[in-house]
Structures are given as C-alpha cells and as structure tokens.
Amino acid sequence: MTSHLALMSCLLVLLLSLDKFLLHYLKKRWLSPRISTSPSKSRRSMAAAAAGGGGAKWSETAMLVIDMQKDFVDPAMRSPMLVDGGQAVVPTVAEAVAVARERGIYVVWVVREHDPSGADVEIFRRRYYSGGKGPTVKGLKGADLADGLVIKEGEYKLVKTRFSAFFATPLDSVLKTSGIKNLVIVGVQTPNCIRQTVFDAVALDYEKVTVIIDATAAARPEIHLSNIRDMKNIGVETPTLEEWRR
C-alpha cells in the first residue's frame, strides 16, 4: 500500500512538471509577438546601414519621383502638358534618385497613365483626348519616363489620375506597411502634383516631408519659389540637392 502511494505521488509530480513545461511552450509558441520583415525592407535596411550615419532614418524614408514623364518634361513631344522648367531638372532628379538608392531609401515612381478615351482625366483636361491619343496615355511614348530615368528592381511604380499621389491610390497603405515615416519629393510640377501630394502627406502625419528645391520645377521660377515658400510655411523642409546629400 505504501509503495503504491509513493508511486502515485511520483506520477503526480511528473504530470505537474510536464504540465508546466507544456504551458511554457505554448505561451512561447503562440502568445509571443512575431516580427515579420519583408525582403524589400530588409534590403533597404542593409543598404541604409552600409550608407553609414542615419541608417535607421533612411530605411524609414521614401523618395517620391513625381511625373517625370516625357509628356511633362520633353519639349520634343509637343505635349500640351509640358512643364517649361521640367527638362532642366531631369539630371538633378536622376542624381537625387542615385543618392536615394545608395542610402537604401525606398524609391516610388509616381506616374500618370490615362485611358485612351480620356474618361479618367480631370474634366478640364478632357479636350486634349481624342482618337485614342492624349497626354500620358498608357502605352504611348509620352507616358514613358524621361530619358535617363529607369525603375529598378525593388522600386515601386504608382499610377495616379489626379494631382495628389495619395488621391484614390494605395500609396499611403504601401508606405505605412513598408515602415515609411519620412518622405523626400522630387519631380514636376510644383504648384500642382508636388504641392498637393505634399499637403496630403502633412495631413496624413508623415513625420518629415522634404522637397528638394532644385529637383522640382514649375513653368516659371517665380511660380516654383512661391509654392516652395508655401510648403515651407507648413513645416516642409526645402533643401537643395547638395544640402540634402550631406
């Protein structure tokens, strides 16, 4: 009888020990937070670390390259959408993109691609669309990026049909799920797509919004600078490319 009681006691102690072990295992397996990092974000983090100081900052930064398409910046296209100051900033935009890539910044190419019918264009611009032709119609040469600008693997192409890159697009979701908190903006043109995208970015609470003033342009310098001043007044940083790259 005594031996039976001793055996039962041993079995009880063993069961209690196993119960504690299983409980600990299940808590660790199912209740502990899981961290999942997308491959693209990991690559950006590694590139940012390799770039030296400010690595964490750069891995949380995206560059929006806005409307750098032939119909907007190439006079040879004879497009009604041509931005007179656009062609002059193409080399600076290309250089800014190169710096962004070196730093591991997430590059987002924001472009317009319209239906040949023009049905998805703002009403005031629909007069430019007929016979399947018009500015930045999808598949036509005018919708291509300016010469020297190329989308690389791991970069994101966003199509918009209105001024703001955030309007009726998944941009905010794409950026937030990629861990982006800060934006650097280049492209054309300052009073329209640049300005509206910047104001929306501020409204959406991005922590730091930067517009590189010599990698953005408008039809005339005075229009460009007056809009830069307005954006600066709402907390946007406005460095030159040389100042930003330091």
Side-chain angles (χ1 to χ4, degrees):
M1 186 71 175
T2 303
S3 61
H4 286 158
L5 287 174
L7 180 60
M8 289 178 65
S9 297
C10 290
L11 288 172
L12 183 60
V13 170
L14 181 61
L15 287 172
L16 288 173
S17 299
L18 287 171
D19 185 57
K20 288 180 180 179
F21 172 79
L22 288 171
L23 183 61
H24 175 74
Y25 172 80
L26 289 173
K27 282 183 177 180
K28 186 175 181 181
R29 178 67 179 83
W30 299 110
L31 300 182
S32 297
R34 299 180 186 182
I35 300 172
S36 176
T37 305
S38 66
S40 60
K41 187 175 179 182
S42 297
R43 286 195 293 270
R44 294 202 313 273
S45 299
M46 288 187 289
K57 175 179 67 175
W58 299 132
S59 68
E60 296 176 347
T61 300
M63 173 173 282
L64 307 185
V65 187
I66 297 180
D67 290 352
M68 291 302 296
Q69 297 163 269
K70 290 186 176 181
D71 271 338
F72 292 119
V73 302
D74 186 350
M77 298 303 299
R78 300 183 181 276
S79 168
M81 302 294 203
L82 178 69
V83 179
D84 288 340
Q87 187 177 38
V89 300
V90 173
T92 313
V93 169
E95 191 174 352
V97 171
V99 174
R101 287 168 174 160
E102 289 171 5
R103 290 175 169 174
I105 290 173
Y106 187 30
V107 180
V108 178
W109 298 84
V110 181
V111 298
R112 280 194 181 238
E113 287 183 357
H114 288 295
D115 187 88
S117 68
D120 57 357
V121 182
E122 297 96 330
I123 291 175
F124 78 96
R125 284 178 168 168
R126 288 182 188 171
R127 67 185 186 275
Y128 297 130
Y129 294 78
S130 64
K133 295 182 179 180
T136 65
V137 164
K138 185 176 182 180
L140 297 186
K141 186 177 179 181
D144 292 345
L145 291 174
D147 292 340
L149 300 179
V150 178
I151 301 174
K152 291 193 174 182
E153 184 182 355
E155 299 174 348
Y156 188 79
K157 177 183 174 181
L158 178 96
V159 176
K160 66 181 176 66
T161 59
R162 292 296 184 269
F163 294 128
S164 174
F166 290 101
F167 182 81
T169 76
L171 180 59
D172 188 51
S173 176
V174 168
L175 295 175
K176 297 286 175 63
T177 56
S178 299
I180 300 301
K181 299 177 181 178
N182 311 304
L183 299 178
V184 180
I185 296 173
V186 299
V188 294
Q189 67 167 321
T190 324
N192 295 351
C193 299
I194 302 296
R195 180 187 178 113
Q196 195 137 342
T197 298
V198 164
F199 272 73
D200 281 352
V202 171
L204 289 165
D205 293 328
Y206 284 88
E207 292 180 8
K208 183 178 179 181
V209 180
T210 300
V211 175
I212 301 179
I213 60 173
D214 53 347
T216 47
R220 297 195 303 276
E222 63 270 24
I223 295 173
H224 175 63
L225 292 175
S226 65
N227 281 276
I228 290 292
R229 182 176 62 247
D230 288 346
M231 289 184 277
K232 192 172 182 177
N233 286 338
I234 62 166
V236 175
E237 295 193 7
T238 57
T240 63
L241 175 59
E242 189 59 36
E243 291 168 339
W244 178 71
R245 73 190 307 168
R246 289 175 189 164

